[in-house]
Each structure stands twice: as structure tokens, then as C-alpha cells.
Amino acid sequence: MFHSKPTTIMIHRIYILLLSAILFVGCQSDLLDTQPYDNLGESQFWITEKHALMGVNAIYNNLTQDMVYGQYFMLDCLSPYAYGYDFFEAEMTSSTTPYSATYSGKWSQLYLGVQRANDALDRIPAMSSLSDAMKNRLIGEAKFLRALHYFNLMDFFGAVPIYETPVVYSEAMKPRNTVEEVSAFIKKDLTEAIELLPVSYASADFGRATKGAAIALRGKTALYIQDFENAENDFKTVMTMTYDLHPNYAELFKAKTENNKEIIFSIQNIATAGFGESMSFRLGTRATRGSCWTNGIPSPTLVDMYENIDGSPFNWDKVIPGFSSMTADQKSVLFSEKSNVEKAYQNRDPRLQTSVIVPWAEYVGASNVTYKLAWPFKSAASPTFHIQHNWNANAIYVWRKFVAVGDESLLREAGPIDFPVIRFADVLLMFAEARNRRIAAPDAEVFSAINKVRTRAGLPALQNTSAAAPTYSATKADMTKRIIQERAVELAAEGVSYSDVRRWKIAEQVNNGPILEFTGKTLKTRVFQPRDYLWPIPQSEIDQNKAIVQNVGWQ
């Protein structure tokens, strides 16, 4: 969970890491003009403003770790809307144990962020070299970041120990606090952060925690513990601030246009080894620059959730009569001709082909060569230029969202695309959810929030006046279904769907059954047991700390 007390050599390495963190958040170039930080001793740190910035930047840097937000997008594979290999394969079939590296990695990396935040909050208040304004801002950032790490701990593990001050691993022997205590601690940190954080920063500091980010996270925390009134109030506050939907959905996931009014908090990435993202590497194909691995792929369940452009539900049998009664072999023949199936993907929610490469659709890959997702795959070379991927024998969809086009990302494991943690569309949908849960039937405020997202996508507004129209949603239950669908398609590949199906307690219904190719052939079977609503406390933690009790079903 925590590092043991560092040696002098370890301290030197930590200072190198902290210096590196400067490049990751905020681009504080003036920090590079000082003496080499690997020559500093422990007693020389936490003295100057530069040290304080380095310490807080190290907390931001922790967010990029694989099991914090570095590979967060792969969590969709644990929802009904995606699947994959190498990541979460055992978790998809509920065949793991508390000894799994997935759980220990998540736990230790999140608590490392807590430890870094605690260190900053322990040292910064006593630093006389800081102006009051800078001191307050950095304390606000550290409190937000500590809350964000604890939010993730609560989301995945439930009740966890709360540590408010730095502690070495051998002394981390607290029992688990209750979920109520953890959520209250998160709320307290965020409430204090809200008072200290600015509304915005200069462009060079885009990506640092803001007042709006803290309010949104406090609302999200309330939503996750079903405190719908406070969640609604916080989201409504954010909705009155300067945030807005970016007019072009696709541009949200491109490096050139990612810093826009929709982004409330995101993980900052630059195209430099050690400071970039691996989304193209994990979600892209062999056609993507760098020859990528396609570890995660969208499921037919997700693709079929994208509505027709008139707002009616998509139905294969209405496009291709008798489709649902065909065998997998018959469908395989059908998909081998573009003219047979392309109409199934036309006149649909535009977010479908923005997010997913469907059969026979084109993709501009490495060296600006245009490829197409053909079935069956024949050759990536001329004249066919089929998209090659690590599932060539399987009839699968692949991601377009977050995947580099042409040569825009030269390093496959260090791409420049920021990863959104909270964006305004998410806030609108969470507001609609919280308010819909509180009142007897959806009202104008609920419709307004969800319809802003739909309108940006190019879909007709939901309404409660014309029962004959496909957009009719008059009851609380109707709106709940619409919110579930809208979150699935709007936030596809952003990692939140797994948390959604768990917090809604529907995972046992939607996460059990065959994982299919688009021909209907079974790839594997997904399993979700009641125990899987929470991850187990890593066995190494229970062995170390006898005060910790394991989650139900994992004993």
C-alpha cells in the first residue's frame, strides 16, 4: 500500500521523478533552471515554491499509472459494451482470487497517490516561502487529488482505511472505515478544495484541478452513494458555470482540440516517452502507426445500442429481414459483401461511426494509407488494404475513438491525447440521473439535460407529449432506460460503464452470457457473480494488516 521509509538513494530517485512530473502537468519550464534535484537531500526539499509545485505535480503524475487512469479506458471490457485480451481476461469470467495483480496494483497505486497527497498536505502549510495565494491553491489541488484517489478506492473496494497523514507501510495498520465515513472524508476534502481552487488557470496550466472539477467530483461521489439531492445540487452548480458542450463530438478525442469548454478534468498527455497515453496502442490495430495490439474492442451489444437517426431503436430484422434467425455461418457470408450490410450502419446515431469502425468502413492508418475493416480479412497490402488486427480470425468491431489517425501520433505508447475524467456531457447525464431518481416522473429539467447531449449528437429530443413517437419517455422507468443507453454510447471507451453497471446493481443481468462476434459466433462467456460488485482487498494487504476484513464472497 505505502512505500517503506526511503533510503538516500531512493530519495534521489524520487526527486528525479518529481522533476519529471513538472513536464507532465503545467509545463513549469522555470523549474528547470535550478540545481539538479537528484543532488538534493531530504532536508532541502519542501522549502521553495518550486519544491511545492514539484510535490503537488507528483500527485498528478500518479494519475497516469496503469491502474489509476493510465489504462482506465480498458475497464469498459468489464462492462457489456467491450471485451478484450491481456487486460482483465480473468475478471471478465470471474475466475480471479484476491492474489491477482489486478487488485494489488489498483490498491497500491491508488494509495501511493494518497501518500503523495498526504505528504504535500503535511508540508505545504508550514512553508514560509509560499504566498498565501499559492499556498491555498496548492493545498486545494492536493485535497482534490486525495479525494479523487479515495473516490476510486471507494468505487472499486468499498470500505477502505482512511489515512490523513503520511505513514510508512509497516505502520499502515488501520482497519477499514465504512463507506459512509470514506464518502464523508471525500466530501470534506472537496468542500475545502472548492473554497481554495480557482475557477480556471492560464492555458499553460490547463489540466490542474479547478473549483468546477471539485464540485463535479463531489456531486459524483454523492451520486455513487445514492445521495441524489446533493448530487443534483452540485451538478446544477457546475451547469451554471462556464462549461459547455463542445459542438463536435469527435474533436473531444483529438489532441489539437481537446482543451475545450467541455473538459472539466482530464489526464494530461504529451507525445513524449514516459508522459503519453497508450490508447492507440491498446485500442488501435496493425494499421495504426506503430502496429498496435487491439487489446480492447467494442461489443455488438454496444453497437446495437446506437439508435436510428430518428430516435427509434435499431433492429437488425428491420434492416435485413430474418437476420436474427440466421446461423453464424450464414451471417458470416452476409458480412462478406459490403452491399449486404452497409445499410445497417447508415442513418444511425452519428456517434456510432465516430467511436467504432464498423464492417467495410474506412480508416486512415499509418503513412496516411486508407484501410477498410473487411470480413473476412485477406491482406493488409495493396490492393485490398484490409485492417489487420490481433483478432483476424474473428468477426469483430474495432475502436475509432481515441485511436490516432494517419501519422498524428508517432509513438504508439506515448500518444498526445488527453484522457477525460469528468466532462460536461457526463455532468449533464449524471444530473438527469440524480433528478430522475428523486422525483416521480421526469420533468423539464431532466429532459433539458439529456437532450442537450442528444442534440449535440444529432438525435431528436426525448419528449413526453407524443406517445406514438420513438422518443417518448414519460415515466421514471422510461427515463432510466434512456439514461443507461445514453451513458453507454456517449461515454463509450471512457471506462465509466463498468462502474455504472455495478452501482446500478444491474451487472448480474447484463454481464452474464456469451460474448459475441458481429456474426453471432461466441468468442467466450462472460461471468459476473454477486461478489464482483466490489473487488477483493488484496491478499497481501490482509496478510500484512490483520485488522482488515475481506469483502463478502472473496474470503
Side-chain angles (χ1 to χ4, degrees):
M1 179 166 63
F2 298 109
H3 289 310
S4 58
K5 191 170 183 178
T7 65
T8 301
I9 294 176
M10 290 174 66
I11 290 169
H12 290 168
R13 290 175 179 170
I14 289 170
Y15 292 143
I16 294 171
L17 173 62
L18 295 178
L19 181 59
S20 300
I22 297 164
L23 301 176
F24 173 71
V25 178
C27 300
Q28 305 287 336
S29 59
D30 58 313
L31 300 186
L32 302 179
D33 297 331
T34 60
Q35 63 173 307
Y37 283 96
D38 57 335
N39 291 331
L40 287 174
E42 184 176 12
S43 62
Q44 293 177 268
F45 202 64
W46 297 110
I47 295 174
T48 69
E49 180 178 302
K50 295 172 183 178
H51 296 161
L53 282 165
M54 290 170 68
V56 172
N57 286 348
I59 318 171
Y60 284 100
N61 183 263
N62 194 68
L63 298 176
T64 68
Q65 292 212 63
D66 282 355
M67 294 304 292
V68 184
Y69 283 105
Q71 304 288 340
Y72 197 86
F73 57 92
M74 288 296 296
L75 286 168
D76 266 26
C77 292
L78 296 178
S79 79
Y81 312 132
Y83 50 102
Y85 71 96
D86 280 356
F87 284 81
F88 307 125
E89 283 189 87
E91 288 77 14
M92 279 188 278
T93 58
S94 191
S95 57
T96 55
T97 72
Y99 292 92
S100 167
T102 295
Y103 309 131
S104 59
K106 188 80 164 177
W107 179 277
S108 63
Q109 289 178 16
L110 286 170
Y111 268 113
L112 176 58
V114 169
Q115 177 77 334
R116 290 183 180 180
N118 285 343
D119 199 25
L121 291 168
D122 184 60
R123 301 295 192 117
I124 290 174
M127 293 181 66
S128 59
S129 60
L130 297 178
S131 67
D132 288 344
M134 178 59 74
K135 182 180 292 187
N136 287 338
R137 195 199 90 185
L138 292 178
I139 290 172
E141 290 182 67
K143 284 183 176 289
F144 169 85
L145 293 167
R146 182 168 68 179
L148 181 59
H149 283 85
Y150 268 119
F151 171 81
N152 279 279
L153 283 162
M154 182 182 73
D155 181 17
F156 286 88
F157 298 102
V160 296
I162 296 174
Y163 292 91
E164 297 185 60
T165 57
V167 60
V168 295
Y169 181 69
S170 60
E171 298 171 0
M173 296 297 174
K174 287 187 176 184
R176 299 169 71 179
N177 291 85
T178 65
V179 169
E180 291 75 19
E181 290 169 335
V182 176
S183 62
F185 181 73
I186 295 169
K187 180 179 179 180
K188 178 177 179 292
D189 260 359
L190 292 171
T191 300
E192 293 172 1
I194 289 165
E195 296 301 315
L196 299 172
L197 289 170
V199 172
S200 62
Y201 296 87
S203 59
D205 281 328
F206 188 93
R208 304 190 84 94
T210 61
K211 192 181 298 291
I215 298 170
L217 182 57
R218 189 174 66 179
K220 187 171 182 177
T221 302
L223 182 68
Y224 274 45
I225 62 169
Q226 300 190 4
D227 178 3
F228 300 120
E229 182 175 5
N230 280 317
E232 178 187 336
N233 290 338
D234 276 340
F235 296 140
K236 184 176 289 188
T237 298
V238 175
M239 289 160 61
T240 66
M241 299 176 77
T242 58
Y243 303 106
D244 200 359
L245 293 175
H246 188 65
N248 187 312
Y249 179 75
E251 288 183 351
L252 289 168
F253 318 108
K254 299 296 180 184
K256 291 182 179 179
T257 46
E258 61 195 3
N259 292 351
N260 55 70
K261 286 187 175 182
E262 183 160 346
I263 302 303
I264 297 175
F265 187 73
S266 59
I267 307 303
Q268 302 295 288
N269 293 300
I270 57 175
T272 301
F275 301 99
E277 40 79 15
S278 61
M279 291 183 285
S280 285
F281 180 41
R282 297 301 179 190
L283 304 181
T285 65
R286 295 296 179 180
T288 307
R289 184 178 176 90
S291 188
C292 299
W293 285 13
T294 326
N295 291 106
I297 54 179
S299 71
T301 298
L302 173 68
V303 171
D304 291 353
M305 290 178 77
Y306 289 89
E307 298 173 4
N308 295 317
I309 198 67
D310 65 356
S312 62
F314 173 75
N315 185 315
W316 274 102
D317 287 328
K318 289 185 177 180
V319 180
I320 302 173
F323 181 88
S324 62
S325 61
M326 291 181 182
T327 66
D329 287 342
Q330 289 172 324
K331 290 177 183 176
S332 181
V333 173
L334 187 77
F335 275 96
S336 68
E337 290 292 337
K338 177 181 179 180
S339 59
N340 291 338
V341 295
E342 64 179 342
K343 56 187 175 183
Y345 305 104
Q346 296 170 347
N347 298 313
R348 300 276 296 278
D349 180 339
R351 289 172 295 187
L352 169 57
Q353 296 215 43
T354 299
S355 301
V356 179
I357 301 176
V358 301
W360 299 102
E362 294 183 342
Y363 163 72
V364 178
S367 302
N368 294 310
V369 173
T370 298
Y371 296 87
K372 53 182 173 287
L373 184 64
W375 178 255
F377 171 83
K378 292 182 180 178
S379 172
S382 179
T384 56
F385 291 115
H386 289 178
I387 293 176
Q388 183 177 355
H389 49 72
N390 287 8
W391 306 70
N392 276 344
N394 305 110
I396 64 163
Y397 299 107
V398 295
W399 290 110
R400 191 186 299 275
K401 187 173 178 178
F402 290 127
V403 176
V405 174
D407 294 330
E408 66 183 8
S409 181
L410 302 181
L411 300 173
R412 69 177 187 176
E413 294 184 74
I417 302 172
D418 293 349
F419 182 74
V421 175
I422 305 175
R423 55 186 179 91
F424 191 58
D426 189 9
V427 165
L428 290 170
L429 294 175
M430 289 191 291
F431 170 82
E433 177 186 343
R435 184 161 180 79
N436 188 59
R437 291 290 296 269
R438 274 206 328 110
I439 58 181
D443 63 2
E445 289 188 81
V446 174
F447 280 104
S448 175
I450 193 170
N451 283 336
K452 285 178 181 178
V453 179
R454 290 175 61 85
T455 299
R456 191 264 299 273
L459 293 177
L462 302 179
Q463 47 80 33
N464 60 359
T465 56
S466 177
T471 53
Y472 185 69
S473 302
T475 69
K476 181 194 291 276
D478 290 341
M479 184 56 69
T480 296
K481 291 178 182 178
R482 290 288 191 170
I483 290 168
I484 289 172
Q485 171 160 329
E486 200 61 38
R487 287 186 64 79
V489 298
E490 172 69 23
L491 304 172
E494 295 180 40
V496 298
S497 291
Y498 176 54
S499 293
D500 281 350
V501 298
R502 287 187 298 113
R503 67 185 178 86
W504 291 328
K505 295 295 185 286
I506 64 172
E508 288 172 86
Q509 289 74 51
V510 299
N511 262 20
N512 276 304
I515 298 173
L516 302 176
E517 301 178 15
F518 57 66
T519 60
K521 180 181 177 182
T522 298
L523 269 174
K524 59 182 72 175
T525 299
R526 196 190 302 272
V527 177
F528 190 97
Q529 301 182 61
R531 69 172 192 172
D532 297 319
Y533 282 105
L534 289 175
W535 284 7
I537 307 301
Q539 189 61 44
S540 58
E541 292 302 315
I542 291 178
D543 292 342
Q544 167 75 14
N545 181 0
K546 302 303 181 184
I548 289 186
V549 178
Q550 184 58 274
N551 276 326
V552 175
W554 292 97
Q555 294 90 343

